[in-house]
Amino acid sequence: MTVRPLCAITALSTVLLSTVTASAAIVYSGPLNIAIPVGTTSPLPRLWIDLDTFATSTTGSFTGWDISFSGSNATFLTMNSVSLSNNRFIGSGSTPTNITRLDPGTLIGASSTFGPNGGGTLALPTYIPAPGTMQINSENIVGFRRVVGGQTLFGWVSISVGTDMLTRSLTGIAYEDSGASIEAGAIP
């Protein structure tokens, strides 16, 4: 029996029950289970991700990487972007952006509020007591905007968090390749 993360099942049912008026193409990584490294050494251990090919590395940056995750704190995780102007995350604040956890089905698009820079903090409510913080023992979806060849694309990244932010893994990535909006958690 194949077991899918709850957010994928919820997102799939949302997509199946929605009426789609455009023939948009969602590019999806497929289910992932890639541990996000924890450590305090210098340089800080990271998970590097190429959003075009879904290639990842924990041994160092590589040509084509777009975003990375790092952190050694039980209450927050840092998310960075190779291009601070082209890749931004839904969130608020200035530097760093408080990246917002989205409910499955939340629309990610031109009308979303993106942070002013290409990085930020994913935090538990104990670190930043605000709506949209990460939840323990749960799948957490964050939205992003990126510019590729002059075209703005919208997508999401799913992160599973255990009992604290030190137990975390990348569980999925998707984006809409036509420039249209995408629902958080939507898969083809």
Side-chain angles (χ1 to χ4, degrees):
M1 177 169 72
T2 302
V3 178
R4 304 233 7 176
L6 181 58
C7 79
I9 294 169
T10 303
L12 180 59
S13 65
T14 300
V15 171
L16 292 175
L17 296 175
S18 299
T19 55
V20 178
T21 56
S23 59
I26 295 174
V27 179
Y28 175 52
S29 63
L32 302 173
N33 186 18
I34 303 170
I36 299 172
V38 175
T40 58
T41 59
S42 182
L44 203 58
R46 293 179 185 270
L47 174 62
W48 309 86
I49 306 162
D50 181 328
L51 294 175
D52 297 311
T53 65
F54 305 121
T56 62
S57 173
T58 57
T59 59
S61 66
F62 57 93
T63 301
W65 78 273
D66 295 299
I67 59 175
S68 70
F69 294 99
S70 64
S72 58
N73 188 298
T75 58
F76 70 89
L77 176 65
T78 301
M79 193 168 178
N80 292 304
S81 170
V82 68
S83 172
L84 297 181
S85 61
N86 286 342
N87 303 316
R88 296 189 181 184
F89 306 99
I90 292 180
S92 61
S94 55
T95 304
T97 298
N98 296 325
I99 298 173
T100 303
R101 176 192 51 80
L102 304 174
D103 291 327
T106 301
L107 194 62
I108 304 165
S111 63
S112 300
T113 302
F114 293 91
N117 55 39
T121 302
L122 304 163
L124 293 175
T126 53
Y127 184 74
I128 299 174
T133 54
M134 304 296 272
Q135 301 298 310
I136 61 169
N137 299 316
S138 181
E139 295 280 331
N140 293 270
I141 301 171
V142 296
F144 65 83
R145 173 189 86 191
R146 60 192 294 244
V147 178
V148 178
Q151 181 180 22
T152 301
L153 305 176
F154 301 99
W156 58 264
V157 174
S158 179
I159 303 140
S160 176
V161 176
T163 57
D164 60 30
M165 290 296 271
L166 298 176
T167 309
R168 69 272 177 122
S169 60
L170 174 67
T171 56
I173 307 167
Y175 64 90
E176 208 331 308
D177 71 355
S178 71
S181 298
I182 185 172
E183 291 181 351
I187 58 176

